[in-house]
Amino acid sequence: MANKTIKKNNQKKGETKMKNIKKFSILALVLVLALGILTACGGGSDSSSDDSADKTIKVAASPTPHAEILNSISDALAEEGWTLEVVEFDDYVQPNVATTDGDVDANYFQHVPYLDQYNEENGTDLVAVGNVHYEAMGAYKGTKDSFDALEEGDKIAVPNDVTNEARALQLLAANGVITLKDGVGLEATKTDIEDNPKGVEIVELEAASIPASLPDLAFGVINANYALGAELTTADAVAYEAEDSEAAETYVNVIVVNAGNENSEKTQALVKAVQTDAVKEFIAEKYNGAVIAKF
C-alpha cells in the first residue's frame, strides 16, 4: 500500500509539474506577443518620425547668393508643411557629390553648361528642374584699375573650370584685352587665344580663391556669388557681362536633383516656392542688379 501511495503522490507531482510548465509556457507566449506588439508600436513611432523627416527638404548651396535666396523662402515652405535645411558649400564639386550620394535632396549653385560638363566627367545623372537667377561675371580690380593700364606680364585670373573659364575669356575679349579664335564661343580655353596685344598672363585658378588672390593680380574675373561673398561691389569692377549677352541666356543658375526625382513632392514644393514674385523682389532689392531673376 505504501508503494501505491508513493506512486500516486509522484504521479500527482508530475501532473502538477506539467500544469506549471504549461502555465509558464502560456505566460512566456503572452510576454512574447506583448513584446511584439510593443515593437510594432515602436516601429510605428519610427515611421512617424520618418514621415516627419520626409517633410524636410535638404538643399546644398553656395553661400551667396544661393543660400540667401533659399533662406528667403523658408517661411513660405513652412506654411506648406515643409522644413527647409540649407547646407552651404564653398566649392563647385561637393554639392553635386552630396546630391548624387543622396545626402541632400537637391542643390542650387550651378548653371546647365557646368552641370552637363560635370555629368560627362563623372558619369552622374543629375538634372536641372528649375531656373532661378543669372549672375553677371565681372572683371574686378587687383593692382590695376583699368584695362588701359595693363602691361606685359600682368596677371589676370580666370576660373579653372571649363565653362566659367570660357565666360571669363569672352568677357576679356569683349573688352579688347585678348582676341579669341572665331567660333569658339562659350567653349573657349586659353589655347583659343589668338592675339594677346598687352602680353598679359592668363592664370587659371579655383573660382572660390580668386577674390582673395586679387592683391597679386592685375584683375580677377570672378563669378558673382564669390564676388558678393567677398563683399566686392560694382565699384570694384571694371567690366561685366552684358545682360543680353549669350552668357546671360546660357548661364542661368538652376535647381538640380538626381534623375528620377524631378516630379517628387519635395522637388515640386522647392521649385514652386522659389519661382515667385516675392523671390524676384528679394533678388532685386538685395543684389541691386548683380543678380537677376530668370524665371
Side-chain angles (χ1 to χ4, degrees), residues 220-295:
V221 186
I222 305 173
N223 298 76
N225 59 311
Y226 290 129
L228 291 167
E231 299 184 350
L232 295 170
T233 68
T234 53
D236 298 308
V238 295
Y240 282 102
E241 291 170 320
E243 286 187 28
D244 61 351
S245 65
E246 182 183 1
E249 296 304 317
T250 303
Y251 296 114
V252 178
N253 282 218
V254 292
I255 294 171
V256 170
V257 300
N258 274 318
N261 292 340
E262 300 95 318
N263 297 312
S264 72
E265 284 188 72
K266 290 185 179 184
T267 300
Q268 295 301 308
L270 179 61
V271 173
K272 180 182 176 182
V274 169
Q275 295 180 338
T276 64
D277 288 340
V279 171
K280 282 185 178 179
E281 291 174 11
F282 174 83
I283 290 173
E285 290 175 8
K286 185 167 182 66
Y287 303 112
N288 196 30
V291 178
I292 302 163
K294 280 285 190 179
F295 53 85

Side-chain angles (χ1 to χ4, degrees), residues 51-64:
D51 288 344
S52 174
D54 247 3
K55 298 300 287 185
T56 297
I57 304 174
K58 198 170 182 180
V59 187
S62 296
T64 306

Side-chain angles (χ1 to χ4, degrees), residues 132-147:
V132 184
H133 76 273
Y134 162 69
E135 303 167 15
M137 182 175 276
Y140 290 85
K141 302 171 189 175
T143 59
K144 299 294 173 68
D145 59 7
S146 76
F147 288 134

Side-chain angles (χ1 to χ4, degrees), residues 157-231:
V158 299
N160 64 358
D161 62 277
V162 176
T163 52
N164 285 305
E165 179 174 357
R167 289 176 70 185
L169 294 174
Q170 289 292 356
L171 177 59
L172 295 176
N175 286 275
V177 178
I178 58 174
T179 301
L180 294 169
K181 296 174 183 176
D182 288 340
V184 293
L186 296 176
E187 296 182 356
T189 66
K190 279 176 61 173
T191 59
D192 295 310
I193 297 175
E194 192 168 65
D195 191 21
N196 184 357
K198 296 182 179 294
V200 298
E201 180 182 351
I202 303 298
V203 182
E204 298 166 319
L205 296 178
E206 175 68 33
S209 71
I210 297 179
S213 301
L214 285 175
D216 301 317
L217 303 166
F219 294 99
V221 186
I222 305 173
N223 298 76
N225 59 311
Y226 290 129
L228 291 167
E231 299 184 350

Side-chain angles (χ1 to χ4, degrees), residues 89-98 109 114 118 122 206:
F89 290 91
D90 288 319
D91 72 298
Y92 284 172
V93 176
Q94 292 308 310
N96 278 338
V97 172
F109 77 98
Y114 178 82
Y118 182 90
N122 294 278
E206 175 68 33

Side-chain angles (χ1 to χ4, degrees), residues 8-42:
K8 285 182 179 179
N9 287 339
N10 287 339
Q11 192 173 16
K12 286 182 180 179
K13 286 181 181 179
E15 289 173 354
T16 301
K17 186 175 180 181
M18 287 300 295
K19 287 180 181 178
N20 287 338
I21 290 173
K22 286 180 180 179
K23 286 181 182 178
F24 283 123
S25 297
I26 292 170
L27 180 59
L29 179 60
V30 170
L31 287 173
V32 168
L33 290 172
L35 286 172
I37 292 170
L38 288 172
T39 302
C41 290

